[in-house]
Short mmCIF file of all heavy atoms in Angstrom, two decimals:
data_model
loop_
_atom_site.label_atom_id
_atom_site.label_comp_id
_atom_site.label_asym_id
_atom_site.label_seq_id
_atom_site.Cartn_x
_atom_site.Cartn_y
_atom_site.Cartn_z
N GLN A 1 78.33 55.52 83.47
CA GLN A 1 78.92 56.71 82.86
C GLN A 1 79.20 56.49 81.38
O GLN A 1 79.09 57.42 80.58
CB GLN A 1 80.19 57.10 83.62
CG GLN A 1 79.86 57.66 84.99
CD GLN A 1 81.04 57.75 85.91
OE1 GLN A 1 82.00 57.00 85.79
NE2 GLN A 1 80.98 58.68 86.86
N LEU A 2 79.53 55.26 80.98
CA LEU A 2 79.68 54.98 79.56
C LEU A 2 78.35 55.14 78.84
O LEU A 2 78.29 55.70 77.75
CB LEU A 2 80.21 53.55 79.35
CG LEU A 2 81.70 53.35 79.57
CD1 LEU A 2 82.05 51.87 79.51
CD2 LEU A 2 82.50 54.13 78.55
N ARG A 3 77.29 54.65 79.45
CA ARG A 3 75.96 54.79 78.85
C ARG A 3 75.52 56.24 78.76
O ARG A 3 74.75 56.60 77.88
CB ARG A 3 74.94 53.98 79.64
CG ARG A 3 75.11 52.49 79.48
CD ARG A 3 74.10 51.73 80.30
NE ARG A 3 74.27 50.30 80.11
CZ ARG A 3 73.73 49.39 80.88
NH1 ARG A 3 72.97 49.75 81.91
NH2 ARG A 3 73.93 48.11 80.64
N LEU A 4 76.01 57.07 79.68
CA LEU A 4 75.66 58.48 79.68
C LEU A 4 76.57 59.31 78.78
O LEU A 4 76.38 60.51 78.65
CB LEU A 4 75.71 59.04 81.11
CG LEU A 4 74.62 58.54 82.05
CD1 LEU A 4 74.92 58.93 83.48
CD2 LEU A 4 73.27 59.10 81.62
N GLY A 5 77.57 58.67 78.17
CA GLY A 5 78.48 59.39 77.29
C GLY A 5 79.54 60.18 78.03
O GLY A 5 79.97 61.23 77.56
N LEU A 6 79.99 59.67 79.17
CA LEU A 6 81.03 60.33 79.99
C LEU A 6 82.26 59.43 80.07
O LEU A 6 82.53 58.82 81.11
CB LEU A 6 80.50 60.62 81.39
CG LEU A 6 79.23 61.47 81.46
CD1 LEU A 6 78.65 61.45 82.87
CD2 LEU A 6 79.54 62.89 81.02
N PRO A 7 83.03 59.31 78.96
CA PRO A 7 84.13 58.33 78.96
C PRO A 7 85.26 58.66 79.93
O PRO A 7 85.87 57.74 80.48
CB PRO A 7 84.62 58.35 77.51
CG PRO A 7 84.19 59.65 76.96
CD PRO A 7 82.92 60.00 77.68
N ALA A 8 85.56 59.93 80.16
CA ALA A 8 86.66 60.27 81.08
C ALA A 8 86.31 59.84 82.51
O ALA A 8 87.14 59.25 83.21
CB ALA A 8 86.95 61.77 81.02
N ALA A 9 85.08 60.11 82.93
CA ALA A 9 84.66 59.69 84.28
C ALA A 9 84.59 58.18 84.36
O ALA A 9 84.96 57.58 85.39
CB ALA A 9 83.30 60.31 84.60
N ALA A 10 84.14 57.53 83.29
CA ALA A 10 84.08 56.06 83.28
C ALA A 10 85.47 55.45 83.39
O ALA A 10 85.67 54.48 84.13
CB ALA A 10 83.39 55.58 82.00
N ALA A 11 86.44 56.03 82.67
CA ALA A 11 87.81 55.53 82.75
C ALA A 11 88.37 55.69 84.16
O ALA A 11 89.06 54.81 84.67
CB ALA A 11 88.69 56.25 81.73
N ALA A 12 88.06 56.81 84.80
CA ALA A 12 88.55 57.05 86.16
C ALA A 12 87.96 56.04 87.14
O ALA A 12 88.68 55.49 87.99
CB ALA A 12 88.22 58.47 86.60
N ASN A 13 86.67 55.78 87.04
CA ASN A 13 86.05 54.81 87.96
C ASN A 13 86.51 53.39 87.67
O ASN A 13 86.70 52.59 88.60
CB ASN A 13 84.53 54.92 87.90
CG ASN A 13 84.03 55.98 88.83
OD1 ASN A 13 84.24 55.91 90.03
ND2 ASN A 13 83.40 56.99 88.29
N ALA A 14 86.70 53.04 86.41
CA ALA A 14 87.22 51.71 86.09
C ALA A 14 88.63 51.55 86.63
O ALA A 14 89.00 50.48 87.14
CB ALA A 14 87.18 51.49 84.58
N ALA A 15 89.43 52.62 86.56
CA ALA A 15 90.79 52.56 87.11
C ALA A 15 90.76 52.38 88.62
O ALA A 15 91.59 51.66 89.20
CB ALA A 15 91.56 53.82 86.73
N LYS A 16 89.81 53.03 89.30
CA LYS A 16 89.68 52.85 90.75
C LYS A 16 89.30 51.41 91.08
O LYS A 16 89.79 50.84 92.06
CB LYS A 16 88.64 53.81 91.31
CG LYS A 16 89.10 55.25 91.33
CD LYS A 16 88.00 56.17 91.82
CE LYS A 16 88.43 57.62 91.75
NZ LYS A 16 87.36 58.54 92.15
N ALA A 17 88.42 50.83 90.27
CA ALA A 17 88.04 49.42 90.50
C ALA A 17 89.25 48.52 90.30
O ALA A 17 89.46 47.57 91.07
CB ALA A 17 86.91 49.03 89.55
N LEU A 18 90.06 48.82 89.28
CA LEU A 18 91.24 48.00 89.02
C LEU A 18 92.31 48.18 90.09
O LEU A 18 93.09 47.27 90.36
CB LEU A 18 91.81 48.32 87.64
CG LEU A 18 90.95 47.81 86.49
CD1 LEU A 18 91.45 48.37 85.17
CD2 LEU A 18 90.95 46.29 86.46
N ALA A 19 92.37 49.36 90.71
CA ALA A 19 93.32 49.55 91.80
C ALA A 19 92.94 48.68 93.00
O ALA A 19 93.81 48.19 93.71
CB ALA A 19 93.34 51.02 92.21
N LEU A 20 91.64 48.48 93.20
CA LEU A 20 91.19 47.62 94.30
C LEU A 20 91.25 46.14 93.93
O LEU A 20 91.57 45.31 94.77
CB LEU A 20 89.75 48.00 94.68
CG LEU A 20 89.58 49.37 95.32
CD1 LEU A 20 88.11 49.77 95.32
CD2 LEU A 20 90.13 49.38 96.73
N ARG A 21 90.91 45.82 92.69
CA ARG A 21 90.91 44.43 92.20
C ARG A 21 91.56 44.39 90.82
O ARG A 21 90.88 44.56 89.82
CB ARG A 21 89.48 43.91 92.08
CG ARG A 21 88.78 43.67 93.36
CD ARG A 21 89.07 42.25 93.83
NE ARG A 21 88.28 41.94 94.99
CZ ARG A 21 88.77 41.86 96.21
NH1 ARG A 21 90.03 42.07 96.42
NH2 ARG A 21 87.99 41.57 97.23
N PRO A 22 92.87 44.17 90.73
CA PRO A 22 93.54 44.19 89.43
C PRO A 22 93.02 43.14 88.45
O PRO A 22 93.13 43.32 87.24
CB PRO A 22 95.00 43.91 89.77
CG PRO A 22 95.14 44.28 91.21
CD PRO A 22 93.81 44.00 91.84
N GLY A 23 92.42 42.09 88.92
CA GLY A 23 91.90 41.04 88.04
C GLY A 23 90.46 41.23 87.62
O GLY A 23 89.85 40.33 87.04
N HIS A 24 89.87 42.39 87.88
CA HIS A 24 88.46 42.65 87.56
C HIS A 24 88.33 42.87 86.05
O HIS A 24 88.63 43.94 85.53
CB HIS A 24 87.99 43.87 88.34
CG HIS A 24 86.50 43.98 88.43
ND1 HIS A 24 85.69 44.14 87.33
CD2 HIS A 24 85.68 43.96 89.50
CE1 HIS A 24 84.43 44.22 87.72
NE2 HIS A 24 84.41 44.10 89.04
N LEU A 25 87.89 41.84 85.32
CA LEU A 25 87.87 41.90 83.86
C LEU A 25 86.84 42.89 83.32
O LEU A 25 87.10 43.56 82.31
CB LEU A 25 87.61 40.51 83.28
CG LEU A 25 88.74 39.50 83.46
CD1 LEU A 25 88.37 38.17 82.84
CD2 LEU A 25 90.02 40.03 82.88
N GLU A 26 85.68 42.98 83.95
CA GLU A 26 84.66 43.91 83.43
C GLU A 26 85.12 45.35 83.61
O GLU A 26 84.87 46.20 82.75
CB GLU A 26 83.31 43.68 84.11
CG GLU A 26 82.59 42.45 83.59
CD GLU A 26 82.40 42.45 82.07
OE1 GLU A 26 81.92 43.45 81.52
OE2 GLU A 26 82.75 41.44 81.44
N ALA A 27 85.79 45.65 84.70
CA ALA A 27 86.32 47.01 84.88
C ALA A 27 87.38 47.30 83.83
O ALA A 27 87.43 48.40 83.27
CB ALA A 27 86.91 47.16 86.28
N ARG A 28 88.22 46.32 83.52
CA ARG A 28 89.25 46.51 82.49
C ARG A 28 88.60 46.70 81.13
O ARG A 28 89.03 47.55 80.34
CB ARG A 28 90.21 45.32 82.48
CG ARG A 28 91.45 45.59 81.64
CD ARG A 28 92.52 44.58 81.91
NE ARG A 28 93.00 44.57 83.27
CZ ARG A 28 93.94 45.38 83.76
NH1 ARG A 28 94.47 46.29 83.01
NH2 ARG A 28 94.34 45.27 85.01
N PHE A 29 87.55 45.93 80.84
CA PHE A 29 86.84 46.09 79.56
C PHE A 29 86.21 47.48 79.47
O PHE A 29 86.28 48.15 78.44
CB PHE A 29 85.77 45.00 79.42
CG PHE A 29 84.90 45.19 78.23
CD1 PHE A 29 85.38 45.00 76.95
CD2 PHE A 29 83.58 45.57 78.38
CE1 PHE A 29 84.57 45.20 75.84
CE2 PHE A 29 82.76 45.77 77.29
CZ PHE A 29 83.26 45.57 76.01
N ARG A 30 85.60 47.93 80.56
CA ARG A 30 84.96 49.25 80.55
C ARG A 30 85.99 50.36 80.42
O ARG A 30 85.74 51.37 79.75
CB ARG A 30 84.11 49.42 81.80
CG ARG A 30 82.89 48.51 81.74
CD ARG A 30 82.17 48.36 83.03
NE ARG A 30 81.17 47.31 82.89
CZ ARG A 30 80.55 46.74 83.90
NH1 ARG A 30 80.78 47.15 85.13
NH2 ARG A 30 79.66 45.79 83.68
N ARG A 31 87.17 50.17 81.01
CA ARG A 31 88.23 51.16 80.83
C ARG A 31 88.70 51.18 79.38
O ARG A 31 89.00 52.24 78.83
CB ARG A 31 89.40 50.87 81.77
CG ARG A 31 90.45 51.97 81.73
CD ARG A 31 91.49 51.81 82.79
NE ARG A 31 92.41 50.73 82.47
CZ ARG A 31 93.51 50.48 83.18
NH1 ARG A 31 93.80 51.20 84.24
NH2 ARG A 31 94.29 49.48 82.84
N ALA A 32 88.73 50.01 78.74
CA ALA A 32 89.13 49.95 77.33
C ALA A 32 88.12 50.67 76.44
O ALA A 32 88.49 51.42 75.53
CB ALA A 32 89.27 48.49 76.89
N VAL A 33 86.83 50.46 76.70
CA VAL A 33 85.79 51.13 75.92
C VAL A 33 85.88 52.64 76.11
O VAL A 33 85.76 53.42 75.15
CB VAL A 33 84.39 50.59 76.30
CG1 VAL A 33 83.30 51.40 75.64
CG2 VAL A 33 84.27 49.13 75.91
N ALA A 34 86.11 53.08 77.34
CA ALA A 34 86.25 54.51 77.62
C ALA A 34 87.48 55.08 76.93
O ALA A 34 87.44 56.18 76.36
CB ALA A 34 86.32 54.75 79.12
N ALA A 35 88.58 54.35 76.94
CA ALA A 35 89.80 54.81 76.27
C ALA A 35 89.58 54.93 74.77
O ALA A 35 90.03 55.88 74.14
CB ALA A 35 90.96 53.86 76.57
N ALA A 36 88.88 53.96 74.18
CA ALA A 36 88.59 54.02 72.75
C ALA A 36 87.71 55.22 72.43
O ALA A 36 87.90 55.89 71.41
CB ALA A 36 87.92 52.73 72.29
N ALA A 37 86.77 55.53 73.30
CA ALA A 37 85.90 56.68 73.08
C ALA A 37 86.68 57.99 73.16
O ALA A 37 86.31 58.97 72.53
CB ALA A 37 84.76 56.68 74.10
N MET A 38 87.77 57.98 73.94
CA MET A 38 88.60 59.18 74.06
C MET A 38 89.75 59.17 73.05
O MET A 38 90.68 59.95 73.15
CB MET A 38 89.15 59.31 75.48
CG MET A 38 88.07 59.56 76.51
SD MET A 38 88.71 59.85 78.17
CE MET A 38 89.51 58.30 78.56
#
């Protein structure tokens, strides 16, 4: 979704990944990139 230019959807999916695995660093990084885009 980040590659497609959909930062809000990307942030939501990264947050879902972090809810399941709080230590998932790539999901946290992708949520940060999506937040910066927004």
Side-chain angles (χ1 to χ4, degrees):
Q1 289 166 333
L2 282 173
R3 289 179 179 166
L4 290 169
L6 303 169
N13 274 300
K16 288 177 184 177
L18 288 170
L20 292 166
R21 290 271 187 254
H24 198 298
L25 291 181
E26 284 305 310
R28 192 166 298 276
F29 173 70
R30 290 166 189 166
R31 187 171 74 173
V33 172
M38 294 185 297

